Amino acid sequence: MSIPDWLVPIRDGARSITGEDITKFLPPEDAATRPGAVLMLFGEGEDGPDLLLTERAHDMRSHPGQVSFPGGSVDPTDESPVAAALREAQEEVGLEPAWVDVLATLPELWLPPSNFAVTPVLAWWRENSPVRVVDPAEVHAVFRTPISELLDPEHRVTVTHPMGYSSPGFLIGADKDVLLWGFTAGLINKLFDFVGLTLPWDASVTRELPGYMLGIRQD
């Protein structure tokens, strides 16, 4: 399967994209950050082009229930951030790396709460392979989310945090009851803006973070 036209500008323009184009949080100079990588894997699913996302287990100590790209730390045995992103995706969802074409890497981005300097790895699913929850202790669910649903203004919201900050968000899942927000949502939002896919949406529609994402037990 060939990549869709709207992915070509990201692939070809990845070297011209700067960290400032995506986020205000950039790795501080001379800081001892932790290297990480995430896999932004697009593919052709049953409902058209889609994006692979995971929902973290709801009882994890850090970022419980967070919807994110497969990924994690770059280990000393990883040859590169690309290798780390593919390895993590295989460990988390059973992805077959041989069926993935890596298109580009984006600038390293900083996640202040965890001090990760994360390299997003842009890739295309050349051949679909089955994905699943490999370890329920880490991953609650796996989503192949249609791009059309992410672009639908009815599925766009502004997510508010009790500490006072907010970010663009998306409602995903079969019932649109799973909240995608934070770093992952911000990166998706910026890339859609970059290629001109974003449709007008009402940023005044807000959703508060559910308790489980804040580490509040739901007994």
Side-chain angles (χ1 to χ4, degrees):
M1 293 180 287
S2 59
I3 69 172
D5 292 343
W6 55 268
L7 260 182
V8 174
I10 305 177
R11 180 197 65 187
D12 296 347
R15 293 185 178 180
S16 65
I17 298 174
T18 67
E20 289 88 347
D21 292 329
I22 302 172
T23 178
K24 63 181 180 180
F25 295 113
L26 302 179
E29 294 183 8
D30 303 323
T33 55
R34 302 162 61 192
V38 295
L39 183 66
M40 299 185 64
L41 180 58
F42 295 91
E44 187 68 34
E46 296 180 357
D47 298 309
D50 59 18
L51 177 62
L52 180 66
L53 296 166
T54 65
E55 182 181 4
R56 289 167 63 87
H58 290 197
D59 56 357
M60 295 191 75
R61 293 177 59 186
S62 64
H63 308 296
Q66 187 92 350
V67 177
S68 60
F69 303 116
S73 299
V74 177
D75 290 346
T77 53
D78 292 320
E79 295 181 356
S80 64
V82 170
L86 291 172
R87 172 186 56 76
E88 287 281 352
Q90 187 173 37
E91 293 174 359
E92 291 179 11
V93 302
L95 177 73
E96 177 48 64
W99 293 356
V100 172
D101 286 335
V102 173
L103 305 178
T105 57
L106 298 180
E108 196 175 58
L109 307 174
W110 187 40
L111 275 65
S114 55
N115 197 33
F116 267 113
V118 178
T119 299
V121 177
L122 182 70
W124 175 251
W125 222 325
R126 184 178 68 256
E127 296 287 344
N128 286 327
S129 61
V131 287
R132 67 194 191 282
V133 173
V134 174
D135 183 359
E138 291 191 9
V139 177
H140 178 75
V142 179
F143 302 98
R144 292 194 61 166
T145 304
I147 302 303
S148 60
E149 293 187 8
L150 290 170
L151 292 173
D152 189 335
E154 293 297 316
H155 304 152
R156 300 294 310 268
V157 295
T158 296
V159 181
T160 59
H161 191 282
M163 293 184 67
Y165 56 86
S166 61
S167 77
F170 301 82
L171 303 176
I172 69 169
D175 298 322
K176 303 298 175 287
D177 58 351
V178 178
L179 194 58
L180 163 58
W181 80 295
F183 169 82
T184 304
L187 184 49
I188 294 170
N189 179 65
K190 289 292 186 180
L191 287 184
F192 284 165
D193 287 350
F194 181 78
V195 296
L197 286 179
T198 302
L199 299 173
W201 59 282
D202 188 354
S204 70
V205 177
T206 62
R207 288 290 183 93
E208 295 181 357
L209 282 180
Y212 66 83
M213 283 191 175
L214 299 169
I216 300 172
R217 294 182 61 86
Q218 306 293 307
D219 296 327

